[in-house]
Amino acid sequence: MITTKEVGYSSEQPIIAFTLMNRSGHSVELLNLGGKITAIRVPDQQGTVENVVLAFDDIEEYLEDPHHLGATIGRVGGRIANGAFALEGMNYILEQNEGEHHLHGGSVNWSNRFFEHEIDGDTLHLLLTSPDGENGYPGQLDVRLTIDWTDDDALILTYHATTTASTPFSPTNHTYFNLTGNAKTTIEQHRLRMDAPFYIPLNEESVPTGEILSVNETVFDFRTARSLYEVTHASDEALRQAGSGVDHPFLLKEGGEIVLEEPVSGRTLRVETDQPGVVVYTGNHLAGDFTIAGRRATPYLGICLETQGLPDAINQPDFPSVVLRAGEVYEKRTTFQFSRMQ
């Protein structure tokens, strides 16, 4: 079941909240503004249903949000070095909205765009047209984000897109998860496991160096489950550069999964995707004059698992391609499956 409700206004457009409810009474909420996920309400080990994603207490905070809470990111997630790329003999200049680099599609990006919507039974479709030249990108891009919420608490995000000209395209979702429920504590007691044998090192400006390195004997080895506290408090120069935590891309094993567990609540999140990579961000810079679940925001209050192509892939020949060409149909899917530890 899907219900809608107007929760605010921006530029004379209503901000609409969609609630997808399954037969168990568990729900997902998101906005037409940026496709932002504001709630996923699932039970803990004792059956208590709580929100396991970070959300602003004040809807107005979503209008100018530098942290992209819950947002759909596009056209390209992550950084593009020097805000420029070459494609099919043409040079393109993008907005440099993070120092000399381009981040998350530009300062006016999809997280602050209004999506059109269609409801088809229990399925929600969010629709967006990115015009030719938007923030410097070539080609008109027509995007459909399909959202399904199953009776066994799986959130399925499916991205479809076509373009009128070749363009880099690598969307992602920027939800911050906190499985304690209602952000009771930080995510440092969570345990993370990933089928990710390689990670992407970054330079001092958080741009990929172009290398793809083995996680063997590094702080980035999550092939067996590890407490995030071990990472946020590790003495490692790469983590220090990222703000004393992880903000790095990983190359996933084909068919591999990502598993996040919180031992006190007993909640588990299992992520499956056909994207080649994931950017893991432990909320190192999450702070400001706003509240989440009644508490002031602090670093490590949530963790992002941003399934996508690798950042700056358009400039890195050894990375999997993120180019979408005219006549092609883009379709990628990520499933976020919630359950309780056995």
Side-chain angles (χ1 to χ4, degrees), residues 264-287:
V264 177
S265 70
R267 292 186 179 98
T268 297
L269 168 59
R270 178 170 282 100
V271 182
E272 297 179 349
T273 186
D274 54 6
Q275 294 279 13
V278 61
V279 174
V280 177
Y281 174 47
T282 50
N284 319 326
H285 304 289
L286 189 60

Side-chain angles (χ1 to χ4, degrees), residues 159-234:
Y159 300 83
H160 305 258
T162 58
T163 181
T164 60
S166 296
T167 185
F169 182 53
S170 179
T172 191
N173 179 270
H174 210 278
T175 292
Y176 292 76
F177 297 98
N178 184 321
L179 301 183
T180 64
N182 297 337
K184 292 186 187 68
T185 66
T186 70
I187 46 87
E188 292 177 285
Q189 75 274 26
H190 289 51
R191 294 175 61 80
L192 177 65
R193 179 179 67 79
M194 300 193 298
D195 293 325
F198 301 98
Y199 79 101
I200 310 304
L202 307 175
N203 64 24
E204 292 184 355
E205 296 179 317
S206 296
V207 174
T209 64
E211 300 171 284
I212 300 175
L213 300 183
S214 170
V215 298
N216 283 339
E217 299 182 356
T218 74
V219 72
F220 299 107
D221 191 351
F222 290 97
R223 290 173 296 178
T224 57
R226 295 172 56 206
S227 163
L228 292 175
Y229 182 90
E230 293 180 26
V231 180
T232 58
H233 287 75

